[in-house]
Amino acid sequence: MQAKGTVLKYGDNVDTDVIIPARYLNSFDAKELASHAMVDIDPTFTQRLQPGDIMVAGKNFGCGSSREHAPLALKTAGVSCVIAESFARIFYRNSINIGFAILECPEAAKDIEEGNQVEVNFDDGTIYNLTKNKKYQAQPFPEFLQKMIQANGLVNYVNEKRVIYGKNNCSD
């Protein structure tokens, strides 16, 4: 599993309330939510973002409330993955639950710059900064997480297993 895109770079403590402001939470349409992603700290985010682009940030990405809409807004907007020094635990859980790839790699998060071209190999955890011709090492994604992401989240993954293995046996 791989991702490749241009980097949009942010700092520390990017809060879920900033990723998708509360005033837009009355919508149940993921595309509408995505159209308002990051609007309060980067009004040009959705105009600059191209499908497959990669966000890179500092420490504690996704902190704040347990806003489940935040990773959904980023994924639907077209972000292929987020690389950060660290993630808030609740953001990590919410991302995995919807099949949104995130990677912790402090070295990459500090060194990669806005506009760099980056490629991620989730199989072995390698992050390549194509602009700087530099390689970083994150933890590889376990196979079951890759399958969850490819299935578009936990619920779809479990439902696929039920079809394959039968209703009461969801083992891999």
Side-chain angles (χ1 to χ4, degrees):
M1 197 171 96
Q2 294 191 335
K4 184 177 179 181
T6 302
V7 168
L8 288 88
K9 178 99 182 228
Y10 298 92
D12 293 341
N13 301 310
V14 175
D15 194 302
T16 56
D17 299 333
V18 171
I19 295 170
I20 186 66
R23 65 187 177 275
Y24 302 113
L25 292 179
N26 59 348
S27 174
F28 293 103
D29 179 28
K31 288 182 181 177
E32 184 178 344
L33 287 172
S35 73
H36 301 294
M38 306 294 284
V39 69
D40 287 346
I41 63 168
D42 184 354
T44 65
F45 175 79
T46 57
Q47 290 81 35
R48 295 184 305 124
L49 180 70
Q50 298 297 310
D53 281 350
I54 296 170
M55 288 181 75
V56 175
K59 298 174 187 167
N60 205 25
F61 188 88
C63 59
S65 70
S66 63
R67 188 159 292 165
E68 293 175 344
H69 299 78
L72 178 64
L74 295 177
K75 180 181 178 182
T76 304
V79 175
S80 63
C81 71
V82 179
I83 300 167
E85 286 185 59
S86 64
F87 292 91
R89 183 178 287 165
I90 192 74
F91 186 86
Y92 185 87
R93 184 206 70 191
N94 290 339
S95 295
I96 296 304
N97 283 347
I98 65 157
F100 184 51
I102 61 175
L103 285 168
E104 284 189 353
C105 186
E107 181 187 8
K110 290 174 187 171
D111 191 54
I112 295 171
E113 298 172 4
E114 174 88 17
N116 286 174
Q117 294 293 311
V118 170
E119 184 174 82
V120 178
N121 182 327
F122 297 100
D123 298 331
D124 64 11
T126 306
I127 302 167
Y128 296 100
N129 185 331
L130 302 171
T131 304
K132 293 184 173 185
N133 195 28
K134 196 166 180 184
K135 179 178 157 182
Y136 316 91
Q137 188 62 54
Q139 290 294 318
F141 265 42
E143 187 178 348
F144 80 93
L145 275 182
Q146 290 187 46
K147 288 179 180 179
M148 247 195 286
I149 289 168
Q150 291 167 342
N152 267 328
L154 179 61
V155 172
N156 292 339
Y157 175 74
V158 170
N159 286 337
E160 287 176 6
K161 293 296 172 200
R162 285 184 175 165
V163 169
I164 293 169
Y165 295 110
K167 279 188 164 184
N168 297 321
N169 184 359
C170 294
S171 63
D172 243 346

